[in-house]
């Protein structure tokens, strides 16, 4: 039985003139349906490149991505991305940003009224219905990410890709949004692949944490399962032994064995 | 805005009620009047602040001009002379007294029609070509040097060629307008398209927008501020070019009127025509700028 989503022996090299830079080397990873996987590593280790390869936005040099038994090369709504900098279209309202995706993805399967209902439903999921007629420039950073999340969810992706979705937010907003994402994962059962550089976030949200070695030629250094029962409660976990142990493991990996080197 | 409206509704209600006592009819009126007055004064005050300074400056300039040109032997007429000699042109822009003796309003409209056609074509071609150049590296490499050379050619230099090609003054004038205003539109559109953030392209890729959807939903709105910059430069240039082109091609437009007035030594008329050209050019620029601020609402705010 093959995995739901398999990243199969992916290499990525960038060529500039005669010099070749190997960013990713021999990345192989299986993701199960409904699983929440985080990829963590120092900046420049190619984790965003890996996500872009899965999204189809960047072609892999070698290897490929197999989703439900089929190889995927092009970007598509079955691998919706929540971008780090929200990437909402500033000339559209919150509603229209989500509606654009709904219209494009569900045009064959849903009637006009159903598409409207589906758009509102997804805005409801991220508690953004109240601002549906505002433009992205009129809402806060956390709200923009919520809308980006609603847009991605509305496509009903097979794999939801989160590219450091909380990176640009302040700590309180980030915690709030993490809870939202956790709740939605619990409710909808999405398969999620998240890029992060926040250890607490990775342990709190993930079923498995994929730790990347430093680039160039970054590899998967270690895979850590997080055996915490769901639903998880932020406050209860603060003193939880398993949580602390997982956190310890990730921190050791990042700061002892694979210390960040600026020279790269 | 809501306050006086609500009041007038109330007072109207009172007034229309047939059995109401006479005193009730009178009472709300002075209150309403007072509110209206304060509001009116406020608006007047704001208007005065924007209108008075330029009016003062214009009057000052006219006075200087009057003083300079009043002395005997002055080559140009003073404003007072222009006022008396070109009185009919100033007070009635839309008179018709003969085939060539018509108000300046009519002439401006004829010129505007030419500009509308030439500029409209330039806008369509310019945005289309600009999109191509902005989107395709090879189109840019091939076309951009040509554009950069062609755009420096004076509008009037095109006139003999277009006269030879079209053998008629009307399409020639329109062609000159087109060729003058198309370059800034092409170049600015191309820059706008090239500057579409990769983020938006990624969104389009994930949504699998087809090229047509990408054009209408991402490219045009994203490049709109640039496109409108080009359109605004273009409308200014085409209004500059039409006057020169009409001087040479003849006909009914405002440009030919100036040439005709010069040939029949009617200097005051020329000054009036210049004022018309300036004001119409200003209005055209405002229209495109206003359109831009409506269309690019939101885009620029990010």
């Amino acid at each position: 039985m093959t995995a739901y989503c398999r990243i199969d022996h992916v290499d990525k090299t960038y060529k500039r003139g005669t010099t070749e830079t190997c960013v990713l080397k021999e990345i192989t990873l299986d993701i199960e349906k409904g699983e929440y996987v985080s990829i963590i590593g120092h900046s420049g280790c190619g984790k965003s490149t890996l996500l872009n390869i899965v999204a189809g936005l960047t072609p892999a040099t070698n290897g490929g991505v197999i989703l439900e038994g089929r190889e995927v090369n092009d970007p598509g709504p079955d691998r919706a991305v929540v971008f780090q900098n929200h990437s909402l279209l500033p000339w559209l309202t919150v509603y229209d940003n989500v509606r654009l995706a709904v219209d494009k993805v569900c045009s064959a399967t849903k009637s006009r009224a159903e598409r409207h209902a589906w758009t509102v439903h997804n805005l409801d999921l991220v508690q953004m219905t109240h601002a549906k007629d505002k433009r992205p420039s009129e809402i806060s950073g956390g709200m923009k990410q919520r809308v980006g999340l609603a847009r991605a969810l509305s496509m009903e992706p097979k794999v939801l890709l989160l590219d450091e979705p909380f990176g640009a937010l302040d700590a309180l907003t980030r915690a709030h949004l993490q809870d939202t994402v956790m709740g939605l994962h619990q409710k909808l059962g999405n398969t999620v692949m998240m890029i992060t550089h926040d250890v607490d976030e990775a342990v709190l949200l993930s079923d498995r944490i994929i730790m990347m070695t430093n680039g160039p030629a970054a590899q998967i250094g270690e895979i850590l399962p997080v055996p915490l029962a769901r639903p998880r409660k932020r406050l209860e976990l603060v003193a939880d032994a398993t949580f602390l142990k997982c956190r310890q493991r990730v921190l050791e990996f990042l700061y002892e064995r694979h210390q960040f080197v600026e020279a790269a | 805005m809501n306050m006086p409206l609500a009041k007038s509704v109330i007072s109207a209600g009172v007034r229309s009620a047939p059995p109401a006592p006479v005193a009730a009819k009178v009472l709300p009126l002075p209150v309403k009047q007072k509110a209206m007055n304060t509001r009116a004064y406020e608006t007047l005050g704001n208007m005065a602040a924007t209108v008075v300074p330029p009016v003062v400056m214009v009057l000052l300039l006219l006075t200087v001009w009057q003083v300079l040109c009043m002395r005997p032997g002055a080559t140009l007429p003073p404003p007072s002379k222009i006022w008396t000699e070109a009185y009919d042109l100033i007070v009635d822009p839309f008179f018709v007294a003969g085939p060539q003796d018509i108000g300046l309003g009519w002439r401006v409209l004829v010129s505007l029609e030419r500009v509308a056609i030439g500029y409209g074509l330039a806008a369509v071609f310019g945005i289309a070509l600009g999109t191509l150049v902005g989107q395709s590296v090879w189109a840019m490499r091939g076309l951009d040097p040509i554009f950069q050379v062609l755009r420096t050619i004076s509008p009037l230099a095109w006139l003999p060629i277009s006269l030879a090609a079209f053998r008629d003054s009307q399409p020639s004038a329109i062609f000159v307008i087109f060729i003058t205003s198309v370059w800034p539109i092409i170049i600015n559109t191309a820059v706008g398209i090239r500057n579409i953030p990769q983020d938006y392209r990624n969104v389009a890729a994930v949504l699998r927008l087809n090229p047509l959807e990408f054009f209408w939903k991402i490219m045009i709105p994203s490049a709109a501020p640039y496109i409108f910059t080009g359109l605004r430069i273009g409308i200014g240039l085409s209004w500059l070019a039409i006057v020169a082109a009409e001087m040479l091609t003849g006909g009914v437009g405002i440009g030919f009127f100036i040439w005709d007035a010069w040939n029949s030594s009617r200097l005051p008329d020329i000054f009036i025509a210049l004022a018309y050209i300036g004001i119409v050019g200003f209005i055209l620029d405002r229209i495109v700028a206003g359109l831009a601020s409506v269309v690019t609402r939101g885009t620029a705010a990010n």
Side-chain angles (χ1 to χ4, degrees):
Chain A
M1 171 83 193
T2 50
Y4 181 67
C5 176
R6 162 168 287 175
I7 301 169
D8 203 0
H9 296 90
V10 164
D11 293 344
K12 179 70 194 172
T13 34
Y14 283 108
K15 252 187 217 164
R16 172 163 281 172
T18 51
T19 54
E20 276 189 18
T21 321
C22 181
V23 182
L24 296 172
K25 185 84 188 153
E26 282 281 317
I27 305 283
T28 297
L29 176 66
D30 285 351
I31 301 172
E32 296 307 322
K33 192 171 176 149
E35 197 180 16
Y36 198 121
V37 170
S38 289
I39 296 176
I40 196 164
H42 291 293
S43 74
C45 75
K47 52 193 193 298
S48 277
T49 309
L50 182 60
L51 181 121
N52 282 338
I53 289 172
V54 177
L57 294 167
T58 308
T61 312
N62 290 313
V65 178
I66 296 157
L67 181 59
E68 277 196 322
R70 291 177 60 185
E71 184 173 2
V72 285
N73 291 314
D74 301 325
D78 54 346
R79 281 151 292 131
V81 186
V82 178
F83 297 96
Q84 185 174 8
N85 52 356
H86 68 76
S87 294
L88 298 177
L89 303 177
W91 53 88
L92 295 179
T93 60
V94 162
Y95 174 86
D96 287 333
N97 263 292
V98 180
R99 182 64 188 263
L100 177 69
V102 172
D103 279 348
K104 187 60 198 164
V105 177
C106 311
S107 62
T109 53
K110 288 187 167 73
S111 73
R112 224 181 139 73
E114 282 170 335
R115 292 202 298 266
H116 169 76
W118 180 241
T119 306
V120 174
H121 170 75
N122 278 285
L123 285 171
D124 269 337
L125 284 180
V126 296
Q127 297 122 45
M128 280 304 295
T129 324
H130 63 92
K132 71 184 175 68
D133 295 321
K134 291 213 165 96
R135 285 172 197 279
S137 54
E138 296 165 336
I139 58 177
S140 71
M143 287 173 161
K144 285 179 196 159
Q145 280 306 1
R146 281 173 187 273
V147 179
L149 188 61
R151 178 171 66 182
L153 289 172
S154 75
M155 302 179 214
E156 297 190 287
K158 290 175 181 160
V159 180
L160 179 63
L161 303 172
L162 309 177
D163 187 4
E164 296 189 35
F166 317 116
L169 305 175
D170 64 89
L172 290 175
T173 314
R174 191 187 303 172
H176 197 50
L177 205 52
Q178 284 164 353
D179 291 343
T180 304
V181 168
M182 205 154 43
L184 287 172
H185 177 241
Q186 187 79 18
K187 190 169 163 186
L188 306 172
N190 296 94
T191 311
V192 185
M193 177 175 157
M194 178 176 79
I195 303 294
T196 184
H197 48 226
D198 182 329
V199 177
D200 286 343
E201 177 175 293
V203 178
L204 178 67
L205 293 173
S206 321
D207 296 316
R208 276 191 301 159
I209 302 173
I210 317 297
M211 291 173 260
M212 306 267 294
T213 62
N214 284 327
Q219 287 175 301
I220 293 178
E222 190 180 332
I223 297 181
L224 176 75
V226 183
L228 288 167
R230 288 180 190 272
R232 297 173 184 169
K233 291 265 182 339
R234 181 183 299 278
L235 283 175
E236 291 167 14
L237 288 178
V238 173
D240 186 286
T242 322
F243 179 86
L244 291 176
K245 220 172 103 190
C246 290
R247 194 167 171 271
Q248 180 85 22
R249 284 280 294 278
V250 180
L251 286 172
E252 274 169 11
F253 178 89
L254 289 177
Y255 297 106
E256 275 180 23
R257 283 187 278 155
H258 295 277
Q259 230 170 21
F260 182 56
V261 248
E262 192 68 66
Chain B
M1 285 300 272
N2 289 330
M3 280 280 282
L5 196 74
K7 267 176 192 153
S8 67
V9 167
I10 290 163
S11 62
V14 172
R15 240 180 273 135
S16 63
V22 184
K25 269 185 190 174
V26 180
L27 265 174
L29 279 171
V31 178
K32 185 184 159 199
Q33 203 77 30
K34 211 172 177 183
M36 290 271 283
N37 276 345
T38 359
R39 290 190 58 80
Y41 281 135
E42 255 174 49
T43 347
L44 270 180
N46 288 339
M47 269 171 66
T50 50
V51 170
V52 169
V55 166
V56 168
M57 279 316 290
V58 168
L59 288 178
L60 203 70
L61 286 171
L62 285 176
T63 318
V64 172
W65 178 5
Q66 178 76 26
V67 170
L68 285 176
C69 295
M70 238 177 16
R71 63 190 163 80
T75 49
L76 295 176
S80 59
K81 197 178 168 203
I82 293 173
W83 175 260
T84 49
E85 289 196 7
Y87 183 71
D88 55 337
L89 287 177
I90 298 168
V91 290
D92 187 3
F94 292 103
F95 70 84
V96 179
Q100 269 300 334
D101 191 9
I102 57 175
L104 284 176
W106 292 116
R107 293 181 183 277
V108 165
L109 284 180
V110 171
S111 299
L112 277 178
E113 191 197 334
R114 292 186 181 128
V115 168
I117 299 171
Y119 177 72
L121 288 173
V124 173
F125 273 87
I127 293 174
L129 259 174
T131 307
L132 178 72
V133 173
Q135 210 26 16
S136 147
V137 178
W138 283 107
M140 191 190 76
R141 286 184 193 162
L143 292 172
D144 194 56
I146 301 176
F147 293 158
Q148 298 297 347
V149 171
L150 289 183
R151 79 185 174 92
T152 62
I153 297 172
S154 152
L156 285 187
W158 290 100
L159 194 61
I161 293 172
S162 59
L163 276 171
F166 295 109
R167 304 201 171 277
D168 191 11
S169 63
Q170 176 76 356
S172 302
I174 290 171
F175 175 77
V176 168
I177 297 304
F178 170 82
I179 207 78
T180 310
S181 52
V182 79
W183 309 118
I185 301 177
I186 293 177
I187 291 165
N188 279 284
T189 305
V191 172
I193 299 288
R194 234 174 288 154
N195 283 354
I196 295 176
Q198 188 58 42
D199 297 344
Y200 301 168
R201 293 183 187 273
N202 286 346
V203 170
V206 169
L207 289 177
R208 291 214 178 114
L209 296 183
N210 63 41
L212 202 67
E213 288 168 323
F214 183 62
F215 178 78
W216 283 114
K217 297 195 164 157
I218 310 279
M219 269 190 183
I220 291 294
S222 175
Y226 292 89
I227 295 174
F228 270 100
T229 307
L231 287 174
R232 215 172 146 188
I233 300 171
I235 193 75
L237 287 180
S238 56
W239 192 238
L240 289 180
I242 187 68
V243 175
E246 282 176 347
M247 279 189 173
L248 298 178
T249 58
V252 186
I254 187 87
F256 178 69
F257 174 83
I258 292 178
W259 193 241
D260 193 37
W262 163 246
N263 282 331
S264 36
S265 308
R266 286 182 281 119
L267 272 181
D269 291 6
I270 296 180
F271 281 101
I272 301 304
L274 291 191
Y276 266 89
I277 293 170
I279 290 165
V280 171
F282 175 74
I283 292 171
L284 287 179
D285 183 64
R286 289 285 104 191
I287 289 172
V288 179
L291 205 64
S293 70
V294 171
V295 174
T296 61
R297 182 173 35 119
T299 326
N302 206 31

